[in-house]
Amino acid sequence: MGPREPPEPWLTRLRGPAALVALGLLAYANSFHAELTFDDDWSIRNNLLIRSLANYLPGGVGYQAQPTRYLANLSFALNYALGGLDVTGYHAVNLAIHLANALLVHALVRLCFRTPRLARSALAPQSRAIALVAALLFVAHPLQTQAVTYVVQRLTSLATTFYLLAVVLYARWRLARIAGTARPLGSAAGQAAVVASALLAMRTKEIAATLPVAVALFEWSFFESRWRERLRCLAPVLATLPIVPASVLVSHASLGDVLSDVAQATRVQTAVSRHDYLVTQLAVIARYLRLLVLPTGQNLDYDFPIYRSLEPAPALGLLLVLCLGAVAAWPHLAGRARPALDPGARLVSFGIAWFLLALAVESSVIPIADVIFEHRVYLPSVGFFAAAATALAALARRLVPLRAGAVTAVAGAAVSLALGAATFARNQVWATDVSIWADAVAKSPGKSRPRGNLGLALARLHREAEAIPVLREAVRLDPGNFRALTNLGVCLSRAGSADEAREALLAAIRVKPDYAEPQYDLGRLLLQQGRFAEAAPYFRRAIELQADYADAYANLAATWNAMGRYGDTVALLEGARAVIRQAPVAHYNLGLAYGLLGNEPAARAEMAVLDVLSPGLALQLRRDLADPTAGQRR
């Protein structure tokens, strides 16, 4: 096994983890109030499922909706139960997950140097420094902000937690098995813990599909047992390989749709072939590597071209991948021919293989609508940073052999501090919905979606004068951007340009007739104009397209009340009690209809509901029932 490191006092052992946590807290100190943005709307702000923990109990609709992302969504539901939509809690959990991942990276690298092959490496005395530097780089690098500060990408960071935990548990279990310190019951429990972690990862995000292969890669890289023994050790975790593919098949959705990082409503709609996607990913991988080495020009929404042949950019990417593959293979191919090659090279090899393996799900032949997102590098970066820290230690040992560990730690810490400062600066860009999209517009000026989302962010602040030209430009860049058309219609309506608003909303409906929002917004515009008979069909269509659209129910009820169709209002809203449970305007209109039909007990019951949901609207209902001509609230 080679020489072992001398035992450390417990305070000494805590210094590295404490430094990791401190740097992470400093780098993300300004992230706790960053606003929800982009797909946070669909996954958190407007996600009715997370508003009840019961949806995530066994048999609940939360699991059925996204079984391969169940645990991440459950965590959002827990956040909502504790703090509603207050972003502080969501960011605190995301940062805690990131810090836990950094600690797991530290543990994983330390364990690598306890394995039979690396224990005899000349770099083993520097293992503490190597583990610390790898974890510091991981926790501080600004490329990680998209997986940490962008709330919904807890999907990625939490899946990484269980992924890393499974490999760490496997390493500890194997080392105990070799040392003969594990009793039969404890050994079985250790294997069960590995499998349990793998299952948790696979129920958090689909990137965990590669986890069994990663464990096998760890076994092959660092242990020396015979193949039968290895297979006995690996069999339980390898048995989990079919879980993610089987879940996708059961969902009856394409794998590309399941893997997509954004909701259907916010996707860039493309029809990229497997060949073109793979060629494009060669260029994307080159960009990821450049961002890891030099993290400048970060962007939430890249305007990345689709490549259909080996043009210079994908050709360079292919060359980089081949070079990485050659470096990864070298320690294994040259091990017998050149015994002098230090076993520590295997950790570099393992890190490179981990990087490429972890990218395989999203950067290979499975077309995903958006070809590049920074958070996709979060899990792969573990291997990159482990390899980089090992290479740094090897260089330090060659240059200053007597102080290699200290030089490695100091150099790594200096780089990590600079990266931490860059992370702090990047988090300032993430601070508001407007700032992150203004940054994306500046970096992707020819792309419609960033402008559409910037326009939406401005509209939410009622800055219509700024939002309208931004949305017009988004539509000019992509006349098929139905979300930009819808938001342009809403802004024009608020600005008093009713005719232009109507044209924009009708254009959105023509582009996307199965999209509920423009139907609803056009109905609202017509309702505001007193064109009740014209408004009603649009509200009905919105409800047909989105059965849980509480605002559409409320406004259709207001329309029917205005038309004197009180019985229709009662029938509509009594049949949608579950949908309108937390919708005060719907309860107002239902109470008004009951009162005007002479059903005073039912009207009082709705007043009681409103006393809890909206006391002001409850008072208005009492006034309007006393003077019905003043009613017709929307």
Side-chain angles (χ1 to χ4, degrees):
M1 292 281 290
R4 289 188 175 274
E5 301 174 28
E8 306 170 86
W10 67 272
L11 280 175
T12 303
R13 290 199 302 269
L14 288 178
R15 285 189 305 189
L20 287 176
V21 172
L23 181 57
L25 289 173
L26 288 172
Y28 286 89
N30 60 341
S31 70
F32 290 97
H33 301 292
E35 295 175 355
L36 299 177
T37 189
F38 205 13
D39 216 35
D40 289 338
D41 281 346
W42 182 83
S43 297
I44 299 170
R45 182 183 282 121
N46 300 325
N47 186 357
L48 298 180
L49 288 176
I50 70 166
R51 299 192 180 188
S52 173
L53 282 173
N55 291 327
Y56 293 91
L57 295 176
V61 294
Y63 179 84
Q64 297 167 12
Q66 285 187 304
T68 54
R69 301 187 175 193
Y70 167 75
L71 284 171
N73 288 323
L74 171 60
S75 75
F76 293 142
L78 288 167
N79 264 130
Y80 188 86
L82 293 172
L85 293 176
D86 181 1
V87 295
T88 306
Y90 294 89
H91 287 299
V93 171
N94 275 26
L95 180 54
I97 291 169
H98 183 50
L99 296 176
N101 288 340
L103 294 171
L104 285 168
V105 171
H106 183 267
L108 179 60
V109 176
R110 290 295 303 273
L111 287 166
C112 287
F113 280 98
R114 290 177 53 197
T115 60
R117 282 185 166 139
L118 261 62
R120 56 179 178 259
S121 167
L123 296 178
Q126 285 83 54
S127 64
R128 298 181 193 128
I130 294 170
L132 178 61
V133 170
L136 285 172
L137 294 173
F138 176 86
V139 82
H141 201 287
L143 200 61
Q144 315 291 41
T145 54
Q146 191 165 303
V148 182
T149 312
Y150 180 19
V151 173
V152 74
Q153 286 314 323
R154 184 183 301 175
L155 291 161
T156 295
S157 61
L158 187 58
T160 297
T161 302
F162 295 123
Y163 197 113
L164 285 169
L165 181 61
V167 182
V168 166
L169 290 173
Y170 181 83
R172 290 177 63 87
W173 174 77
R174 277 292 274 130
L175 288 168
R177 185 180 176 89
I178 290 173
T181 58
R183 295 179 180 179
L185 186 59
S187 181
Q191 274 195 310
V194 174
V195 173
S197 296
L199 294 175
L200 292 173
M202 292 173 183
R203 285 294 175 259
T204 305
K205 195 176 182 184
E206 301 79 11
I207 56 174
T210 61
L211 194 159
V213 182
V215 175
L217 177 67
F218 186 90
E219 169 71 36
W220 180 62
S221 298
F222 302 125
F223 292 96
E224 298 177 325
S225 304
R226 294 184 177 182
W227 282 107
R228 287 187 179 180
E229 169 66 11
R230 289 183 173 186
L231 287 175
R232 277 196 295 269
C233 293
L234 290 170
V237 72
L238 289 177
T240 66
L241 267 171
I243 289 176
V244 172
S247 298
V248 174
L249 289 174
V250 170
S251 73
H252 303 293
S254 73
L255 187 53
D257 284 346
V258 172
L259 293 175
S260 183
D261 296 279
V262 293
Q264 184 70 30
T266 55
R267 277 183 213 163
V268 173
Q269 299 301 317
T270 58
V272 183
S273 69
R274 294 183 187 277
H275 171 272
D276 294 350
Y277 189 82
L278 177 60
V279 171
T280 301
Q281 286 307 303
L282 293 172
V284 168
I285 291 171
R287 177 67 63 88
Y288 288 155
L289 287 167
R290 200 276 290 167
L291 286 166
L292 284 166
V293 175
L294 185 65
T296 59
Q298 287 184 252
N299 189 356
L300 174 55
D301 201 357
Y302 288 87
D303 190 5
F304 206 89
I306 302 297
Y307 293 99
R308 307 187 189 283
S309 61
L310 281 179
E311 300 171 42
L316 174 61
L318 177 60
L319 180 61
L320 283 171
V321 170
L322 291 175
C323 289
L324 288 174
V327 172
W330 178 246
H332 305 284
L333 298 177
R336 294 180 180 177
R338 295 184 59 191
L341 186 67
D342 189 272
R346 283 180 170 267
L347 184 51
V348 176
S349 170
F350 174 76
I352 293 171
W354 176 294
F355 177 80
L356 296 174
L357 174 66
L359 277 175
V361 174
E362 294 171 314
S363 293
S364 57
V365 295
I366 304 166
I368 307 173
D370 289 275
V371 297
I372 179 171
F373 270 123
E374 290 173 3
H375 61 260
R376 293 178 185 171
V377 197
Y378 187 80
L379 173 61
S381 73
V382 172
F384 179 89
F385 294 131
T390 307
L392 175 63
L395 178 63
R397 184 175 178 275
R398 179 175 292 272
L399 297 177
V400 282
L402 297 180
R403 303 185 63 188
V407 170
T408 300
V410 170
V415 173
S416 298
L417 286 171
L419 291 173
T423 292
F424 191 89
R426 182 62 181 165
N427 280 327
Q428 290 178 318
V429 179
W430 280 98
T432 69
D433 207 13
V434 169
S435 61
I436 191 65
W437 287 117
D439 179 76
V441 167
K443 293 169 180 172
S444 301
K447 191 171 185 179
S448 175
R449 185 170 64 183
R451 291 183 186 274
N453 285 326
L454 175 58
L456 175 59
L458 291 166
R460 283 177 172 158
L461 298 173
H462 298 284
R463 293 161 60 178
E464 282 80 13
E466 298 170 74
I468 288 171
V470 173
L471 291 166
R472 287 192 192 278
E473 180 63 10
V475 172
R476 186 192 70 78
L477 290 170
D478 179 10
N481 188 336
F482 54 90
R483 286 178 63 85
L485 282 165
T486 301
N487 294 324
L488 176 60
V490 172
C491 285
L492 288 167
S493 175
R494 290 178 184 170
S497 302
D499 291 341
E500 286 187 279
R502 182 173 178 275
E503 289 304 314
L505 293 169
L506 285 172
I509 291 170
R510 286 193 296 271
V511 171
K512 188 75 171 175
D514 59 349
Y515 184 41
E517 281 191 38
Q519 306 278 352
Y520 168 78
D521 289 323
L522 184 51
R524 276 178 56 89
L525 175 62
L526 295 169
L527 178 57
Q528 290 166 354
Q529 294 176 323
R531 297 159 67 175
F532 307 125
E534 295 176 66
Y538 289 105
F539 291 131
R540 283 201 300 269
R541 179 61 177 155
I543 291 168
E544 289 173 6
L545 293 170
Q546 186 176 325
D548 62 352
Y549 207 152
D551 288 341
Y553 280 98
N555 281 269
L556 179 55
T559 302
W560 280 344
N561 281 349
M563 297 169 69
R565 296 172 56 178
Y566 310 122
D568 289 333
T569 291
V570 170
L572 172 75
L573 297 183
E574 282 188 343
R577 286 283 185 182
V579 175
I580 67 165
R581 187 167 53 90
Q582 298 293 324
V585 176
H587 286 286
Y588 165 86
N589 281 295
L590 181 56
L592 183 64
Y594 278 137
L596 295 174
L597 287 171
N599 189 342
E600 292 185 9
R604 285 196 296 271
E606 295 307 312
M607 289 178 195
V609 173
L610 286 171
D611 283 333
V612 176
L613 293 180
S614 176
L617 211 50
L619 178 60
Q620 188 65 55
L621 178 56
R622 290 183 174 89
R623 291 173 178 170
D624 290 344
L625 286 177
D627 179 14
T629 60
Q632 298 180 6
R633 284 275 184 262
R634 286 177 290 113

